[in-house]
Amino acid sequence: MSRPLHRGASGVKVHGHGDDKWDSQMKDKTEREEMEKRVSLDHGGTLASRLPIRVLFPDNSPSKYGGPENGFASDSLSSRSRQQFIMLMLKLSLVVIIILALTGSFWWTLSISSSSQVQIFHGYRRLQEQLVSDLWDIGEISLGASRLKELEFCSPELENHVPCFNSSDIQDGAYDRHCEPSSWENCLVQPPLNYKIPLRWPTGRDVIWVTNVNITAQEVLSSGSLTKRMMMLEEEQISFRSASPMFDGVEDYSHQIAEMIGLRNESNFREVGVRTILDIGCGYGSFGAHLFSKHLITMCIANYEASGSQVQLTLERGLPAMLGSFTSKQLPYPSLSYDMVHCARCDVDWDSKDGKYLIEVDRVLKPGGYFVWTSQITDTQTFRYKKENQKRWNFIQDFVEYLCWKMLSQQDETVVWKKTSKSNCYSSRKPDSSPPICGKGHDIESPYYRPLQACIGGRKSRRWVPINERRTWPSRAILNKSELAVHGLGLDDFTEDGINWKMAVKNYWSLLSPLIFSDHPKRPGDEDPLPPYNMLRNVLDMNAHFGGFNSALLEAGKSVWVMNVVPTDGPNHLPLIMDRGFVGVLHDWCEAFPTYPRSYDLVHAAGLLSLEVTKKPRCSMLDLFSEIDRLLRPEGWVIIRDMATLIESARTITTQLKWDARVIKIEDNNDERVLICQKPFLKRQAI
């Protein structure tokens, strides 16, 4: 096949041979064109097989020879193909991105662990606490600029002030407890004129400064009580060492009690399960001071006394004590708290009020525990000329029998009873026996100054375990799984709490130095500061939780005792604390603590501010801190651990109290801070 251009181009007419030659040339040309066409088709098929992308498009391209003559047909096809390819790639990429995004979101949702959920919850809780803290701060600021000024000093008459007991209400010869809002007075209680820092333990157990306590020389010389021991006034000191070589009253007396129980001596008290002792009307704490060396802890309770206070002198000696009275209310201890209750001429008329005082002793006494009573009433030799004593003695003997107590022994003026270990003893009594068993509504495990009850409590408690069946001290301090289950606590939580407090105590102790207030404070964990900056003996834990702070201090070998306070607003772990062999008390921190000023060397509070702000505030933070100042000895320490916002609020209040203070950041914990404070020794100037 020839094109017209070729045909018209010859323009020459050839005659003769020319026609054959022309035909031959045209034939050759036609064959070449046909061959080229076949080659072209063959190459086109090969390219199609080599480029798979072509399969995606319809093969509707014009042929080489049917296309426009300007030569752009193949270029236009290639451009459109590339555009379609790019658009397809973009669509595919968009689909892949959407699929990956949905898949990632799904797996992210599944990957939120329980710990992440806890963090979210804690974040929400922090917002709540921040809100409450801000509201508290607004309330403090709204009271005026005067609240930011330093507090004034109290009048000198208040140097031994106890707000809830300084009243004119006296019942049965004792001050009754009345805590009214008006009893608060936000001022700084000054120490006595010639106050001196107490001597270090154990020297301070036997010798105290006479100017540190409110007692007259006549009261010192006339203190003839058996457990007060003979005190000697030596210039500026009171000595509690015995002056008589032939009779050491307390040691011989303790030995006598042990023999009456059936033991060799008082060192064997732990063998029968005795660890905690409630000493009613303790004299000046000599009974507890002697037993402390036997690893026994004695809590002294006595009535408020304006002068010559048993509680004040006992605390000054570095021994556990608090104000408490049997006059009308139950003691702020759980049922089944103590292994022994002791009363040596404690001036309690046990036969009065139809035996309610004995019922209260029975309530706080553990199963199998001992009640030791020393009194002239029990001396049968006096019955001949004191018929009234015989009548009272007969009533008490009959009454304790209905309480299921058994008399173990009686020697001279001392009697020892043992409370039953079997709870079914009460059901074996005669019908209509008095006192009755408390009903469910009256048998409260941890009453808070509730009126005295006329029924027997604690019998149905899950904590009814005889003392001789408990592990002996110090193993008793670490409760096992079954013992913790009684208190609704798991072993893992209890163990973790103990580990945390061991580390905290190590860090706390190293911070108790004036260096903490310098620009380069000691680092936590360094060696203990040198004396006199570690002169700690009396410790108050304002929010004791499980008693872990107490346990960690003892394990660290610190010569301290701890008053474990469980706030009435929070979870009641006081029964658990008492079962561990520690001492403690329930308390409402919007009320004054039942003790005299300058009672404690260290006040500790972990989480107390958070606990108080979550409740409806009945008192301000300033009220709380002014009470801490009243309880704290000069040069005493305060350690408060809480949320960072609350610590900052507390820090501003310390300036009003004239304390030295520093905020410490807790490693790996951005939510909490530790506030370390020291109360200065501001000496009163003579007028």
Side-chain angles (χ1 to χ4, degrees), residues 228-340:
K228 286 182 179 178
R229 213 172 176 180
M230 182 176 289
M231 296 192 301
M232 294 183 296
L233 187 60
E234 301 175 349
E235 296 181 358
E236 298 180 342
Q237 298 177 335
I238 298 176
S239 174
F240 295 89
R241 301 186 183 95
S242 176
S244 174
M246 66 178 182
F247 178 72
D248 188 336
V250 174
E251 185 173 352
D252 290 347
Y253 176 66
S254 303
H255 190 83
Q256 177 189 1
I257 294 173
E259 289 182 336
M260 294 173 71
I261 293 176
L263 304 174
R264 182 176 180 181
N265 54 50
E266 63 271 28
S267 299
N268 302 115
F269 274 141
R270 287 187 298 164
E271 296 180 4
V272 293
V274 176
R275 156 66 181 173
T276 56
I277 301 170
L278 181 64
D279 194 2
I280 303 171
C282 61
Y284 296 136
S286 293
F287 183 62
H290 174 68
L291 294 180
F292 191 85
S293 62
K294 314 300 179 185
H295 303 286
L296 306 177
I297 186 165
T298 302
M299 173 59 68
C300 163
I301 62 168
N303 295 323
Y304 169 80
E305 298 165 285
S307 178
S309 169
Q310 303 171 67
V311 170
Q312 188 181 45
L313 267 74
T314 300
L315 285 165
E316 189 68 20
R317 300 180 64 184
L319 300 167
M322 62 172 284
L323 293 172
S325 173
F326 277 92
T327 53
S328 61
K329 298 181 179 68
Q330 291 181 316
L331 298 172
Y333 308 129
S335 300
L336 317 180
S337 289
Y338 289 94
D339 307 312
M340 178 184 288

Side-chain angles (χ1 to χ4, degrees), residues 195-230:
Y195 182 88
K196 298 181 179 180
I197 300 299
L199 300 174
R200 293 191 63 188
W201 179 272
T203 304
R205 175 189 58 195
D206 299 322
V207 179
I208 65 174
W209 301 108
V210 68
T211 55
N212 287 10
V213 294
N214 187 21
I215 189 171
T216 64
Q218 181 61 32
E219 287 171 329
V220 172
L221 298 175
S222 63
S223 57
S225 174
L226 179 62
T227 58
K228 286 182 179 178
R229 213 172 176 180
M230 182 176 289

